[in-house]
Amino acid sequence: MAAEINKHYLELKESYLFSEIARRIREWQAENPDRAGELIRMGIGDVTRPLPGAVVDAMIHAASEMGRAESFRGYGPEQGYDFLREKIRGYYEGFGVSLKEQEIFISDGAKSDLGNILDIMGEKSRVLVTDPVYPVYVDTNVMAGHSIRYALSGEENDFLPMPREDYAADLIYLCSPNNPTGAVYDRAQLSAWVDFARERGSIILFDSAYECFVTGDLPHSVYEIEGAKEAAIEFCSFSKKAGFTGTRCGYTVVPEELKRDNVMLNRLWLRRQTTKFNGVCYIVQRGAEAVFSEEGKKQIEENISYYRENARIITETLDRLGIYYTGGKNSPYVWMKAPFGLSSWDFFDRLLNECRVVGTPGEGFGKSGEGYFRLTAFSTKENTKEAMRRMETLFR
């Protein structure tokens, strides 16, 4: 008998969003070769600021350690080195959240673990995702053969869907600050989701990759909400916080209080990681440790402030133009309504052709994204200002 494939992969929709964006850009560049250098990209969620100096210095020192017999390290602990887990534990204390070191697992980024966590969940899980949605939540569950339901959002709820009695779900994906909308749940809203999950035995998979952009009294972590340790797993990343998009490091928190069928999910995740993962390299973890040093925190805040200023430039432009948006104030993403009643892709084409600016059509993030558009604050300040100047010309 021939080997069988996982046929759920055949159920995946083609990942057309960014490939279609790339195709349209290529066509525009071919038609406008003399203007190709004017293109400003504000669509992809990648950072532009370099790694902080404190991080680079720590990685250089760690690399030199690996070149000496007395300080060389081979396989490290799959769940991460204690020196980094302890720093993350201390970071959570700043939010008033007490964690145990063994509840923190170092990973190569939140994206990986958001999919990998399904290894320890039921085979036919019912999954609830908000819409618009980060595509990884949907695709990884399609691959696993799970059933998916969407909590739709829009201007009527500020793109922050809330639980409903008819939502039946084993797993609930929440992202706050949200990608792509930039919307952020407040404490009361997040408490409603935690209560909902606890009452039904659901598990919240909480993506906090953008928590470093949160200001004021908005929650950075789901564990700031009472009872969340019995109902949620949290995923976070150094990608946006410290520019690790190409360096790869993140962490997942699985509280010991979280149990189903009288089994601690923390132990299941530890077993999964020690079987399928060899850990993040020592050099990268030393760099991540430096994120929490006094010099590292100062340098990182400078970078985050830089992106916040870019977001302010974008939102002030939209305010002047009277365009509805979410995000920007506590997020690097600005989710704007496409003007002139245009569809997401029609506005993409107009912005490209008339302004030489690239963003991301909201339709690519789900049904509720049609008619909206995502801009990111991760460009340079000069390009952000110029892009907004060009955008304003559309309204003259």
Side-chain angles (χ1 to χ4, degrees), residues 8-264:
H8 295 304
Y9 276 71
L10 304 180
E11 299 167 12
L12 290 168
K13 294 180 181 179
E14 289 296 323
S15 181
Y16 78 96
L17 176 60
F18 292 104
S19 60
E20 177 63 15
I21 288 173
R23 184 189 68 79
R24 296 189 188 206
I25 291 173
R26 284 195 305 271
E27 289 182 357
W28 179 86
Q29 289 173 326
E31 295 169 1
N32 302 273
D34 56 329
R35 309 199 75 178
E38 299 177 12
L39 199 64
I40 296 176
R41 299 174 186 264
M42 300 179 67
I44 191 169
D46 198 1
V47 295
T48 54
R49 304 289 291 169
L51 290 172
V55 170
V56 174
D57 290 343
M59 293 176 72
I60 290 172
H61 180 75
S64 69
E65 287 185 273
M66 297 294 280
R68 298 192 300 269
E70 63 272 17
S71 53
F72 171 77
R73 288 171 173 80
Y75 288 123
E78 294 91 343
Q79 61 270 41
Y81 285 98
D82 289 348
F83 61 76
L84 179 54
R85 298 164 85 197
E86 178 58 29
K87 287 293 192 299
I88 294 170
R89 192 191 64 77
Y91 181 65
Y92 271 81
E93 285 185 347
F95 311 143
V97 174
S98 177
L99 295 177
K100 300 173 184 175
E101 193 175 292
Q102 61 266 29
E103 295 175 320
I104 301 166
F105 298 81
I106 308 302
S107 72
D108 60 356
K111 180 179 181 179
S112 299
D113 279 3
L114 281 160
N116 292 336
I117 199 70
L118 299 178
D119 283 2
I120 66 170
M121 301 302 175
E123 293 182 4
K124 297 293 182 181
S125 293
R126 299 166 301 170
V127 179
L128 181 69
V129 298
T130 60
D131 183 328
V133 63
Y134 181 41
V136 169
Y137 307 158
V138 174
D139 289 351
T140 52
N141 278 284
V142 170
M143 292 171 180
H146 296 167
S147 61
I148 303 171
R149 182 172 182 179
Y150 297 87
L152 303 181
S153 63
E155 292 181 46
E156 70 281 356
N157 55 19
D158 293 321
F159 285 94
L160 290 168
M162 296 301 294
R164 291 187 345 202
E165 287 299 319
D166 62 330
Y167 287 160
D170 303 302
L171 306 176
I172 302 169
Y173 282 82
L174 297 179
C175 180
S176 181
N178 185 270
N179 179 14
T181 69
V184 187
Y185 283 112
D186 63 25
R187 294 181 185 279
Q189 292 168 323
L190 203 50
S191 292
W193 275 111
V194 169
D195 291 344
F196 177 84
R198 292 181 70 193
E199 289 167 4
R200 290 158 176 77
S202 306
I203 297 174
I204 295 173
L205 304 177
F206 189 79
D207 185 349
S208 65
Y210 305 95
E211 61 81 19
C212 59
F213 287 90
V214 168
T215 59
D217 190 44
L218 294 169
H220 288 253
S221 167
V222 70
Y223 302 124
E224 295 178 57
I225 306 304
E226 184 177 358
K229 288 184 178 181
E230 299 172 5
I233 297 173
E234 184 160 292
F235 307 82
C236 200
S237 168
F238 291 96
S239 288
K240 306 308 189 292
K241 180 181 181 66
F244 273 51
T245 52
T247 307
R248 310 311 305 149
C249 193
Y251 53 89
T252 295
V253 179
V254 188
E256 291 185 343
E257 290 95 320
L258 181 58
K259 298 178 182 179
R260 293 295 181 269
D261 298 325
N262 292 318
V263 177
M264 291 173 54

Side-chain angles (χ1 to χ4, degrees), residues 345-366:
W345 280 108
D346 285 344
F347 182 60
F348 173 90
D349 288 336
R350 188 162 180 183
L351 201 61
L352 173 62
N353 291 309
E354 297 186 32
C355 300
R356 290 90 65 207
V357 173
V358 176
T360 308
E363 188 221 1
F365 295 103

